[in-house]
Amino acid sequence: MNSLSPRAAVGLFLIVVLAWGVNWSVTKQLVQFLPPLWTSAIRSWIALTGLFVILGLSNNLVIPKRRDIPVVLSVALLHMTIFSVLVAAGVRFLPASKAIVLGYTTPLWVAIAAPLLGKDTLTAPKLAGALLGLIGLAVILNPASIDWTNTNVVVGAGMVILAAISWAANIIYIRAHRWIASPLQLLIWQVLVATVVLTVSALITEGLPHAELSRKLILLFLYSGLIGTALAYWAMSMVNKSISALTTALGTTGTPLVGIASAAILLGEPIDMSLVIAAALIVSGIGLASLGDRLLRRQATASG
């Protein structure tokens, strides 16, 4: 399957947004059973198994070429390892609803950092989007929303913001990479590298995992590994072939909204006014930054 019909692409995209949004509440529950490294490692093993089946059935198992190894390492380390562990560590101390809003500031860091690194041009919409997002960040980090007297809460917020910056660094590198194999074909290798790094790191720093096996724990891991990771990554790779980059960028802004709603439903977390305002500002900022990218592409196309 190389491409999807518009209806199938939209359906898969909705699955991605729902899967990723709910996964933050699931991760919040998982780290109550196991430390962040083991939570990420076990989820990664489950995702690796699921992706091996999915990619094997779709004939997308390939050996990566040497020129694709840097992008495999970039995604595996910056996104699947550092981002994953920092989010799991940070969400222990933060409500999942606030963590997901902080975590999805990634496009704003890309909009700010890429021009500074000479990888992009800062347009008026992108500047406006970045400013809106930073104002939203200030709203969610204000003392009425985040308890600055609680060291754990402040550290947790810092970890999630660092996770978003790590993901942004990965996105900037990916944009500059010249792919040989497709992102879908390299996906299993990225997950494999991340799984090995996470497992070795967990064994060294935390020893063998100790948790009482229960039906709830198994179901949480199955959801996070198979649906929130394997299915979502595969579906996003398929969607990217069939839907424009602008549509996917704008559509992904629905993920934190799903995350806020799922945290309220699954965890009973309150939805306060600062959270609503911050989410609205950050989502609007991402939308403007994405439109700025679209304008740059149109100008580049027009100029040949």
Side-chain angles (χ1 to χ4, degrees):
M1 182 197 286
N2 294 320
S3 61
L4 301 169
S5 67
R7 181 176 295 180
V10 170
L12 268 186
F13 192 37
L14 289 175
I15 290 173
V16 171
V17 171
L18 289 170
W20 279 347
V22 173
N23 203 37
W24 286 71
S25 292
V26 171
T27 301
K28 173 75 175 178
Q29 296 176 77
L30 283 171
V31 292
Q32 310 305 316
F33 292 93
L34 286 166
L37 272 171
W38 273 119
T39 294
S40 300
I42 294 172
R43 174 175 58 204
S44 195
W45 275 110
I46 296 171
L48 182 65
T49 304
L51 283 170
F52 184 81
V53 174
I54 293 172
L55 298 185
L57 291 175
S58 59
N59 295 318
N60 278 300
L61 291 176
V62 300
I63 303 296
K65 303 293 184 182
R66 174 189 260 174
R67 279 175 50 191
D68 275 335
I69 290 177
V71 80
V72 169
L73 295 177
S74 170
V75 175
L77 299 178
L78 290 175
H79 186 195
M80 296 181 177
T81 299
I82 295 176
F83 176 85
S84 176
V85 172
L86 286 175
V87 163
V91 83
R92 290 179 302 171
F93 308 121
L94 284 177
S97 54
K98 292 183 178 178
I100 192 171
V101 173
L102 292 176
Y104 271 80
T105 56
T106 293
L108 303 176
W109 302 120
V110 173
I112 293 169
L116 295 176
L117 296 172
K119 303 293 185 182
D120 208 344
T121 303
L122 187 60
T123 61
K126 292 177 75 171
L127 178 59
L131 289 175
L132 271 181
L134 291 176
I135 293 171
L137 193 60
V139 169
I140 202 170
L141 292 177
N142 83 86
S145 179
I146 296 289
D147 183 6
W148 283 85
T149 63
N150 187 323
T151 303
N152 286 338
V153 171
V154 174
V155 169
M159 285 180 172
V160 177
I161 292 172
L162 285 175
I165 292 172
S166 175
W167 188 5
N170 181 48
I171 290 172
I172 291 171
Y173 178 81
I174 285 174
R175 286 182 177 180
H177 179 75
R178 294 186 178 182
W179 300 78
I180 298 175
S182 70
L184 180 62
Q185 290 171 329
L186 296 180
L187 181 56
I188 194 166
W189 296 99
Q190 294 160 352
V191 176
L192 175 61
V193 172
T195 302
V196 172
V197 172
L198 287 166
T199 304
V200 172
S201 300
L203 285 170
I204 292 173
T205 61
E206 298 169 354
L208 293 173
H210 299 285
E212 183 178 344
L213 202 60
S214 65
R215 181 172 177 270
K216 179 180 180 179
L217 181 60
I218 293 172
L219 290 176
L220 287 171
F221 266 124
L222 287 176
Y223 177 90
S224 190
L226 294 179
I227 298 176
T229 306
L231 177 62
Y233 278 142
W234 169 80
M236 196 63 186
S237 295
M238 296 301 298
V239 165
N240 282 334
K241 298 179 181 180
S242 308
I243 296 180
S244 72
L246 177 62
T247 302
T248 55
L250 293 176
T252 305
T253 59
T255 305
L257 303 180
V258 171
I260 292 170
S262 65
I265 296 169
L266 299 176
L267 305 176
E269 293 183 2
I271 303 177
D272 56 48
M273 187 54 65
S274 63
L275 179 62
V276 173
I277 294 172
L281 287 168
I282 290 172
V283 167
S284 300
I286 293 171
L288 276 174
S290 301
L291 287 171
D293 273 338
R294 179 66 171 176
L295 288 174
L296 279 178
R297 290 192 185 96
R298 283 184 178 177
Q299 291 171 2
T301 302
S303 63

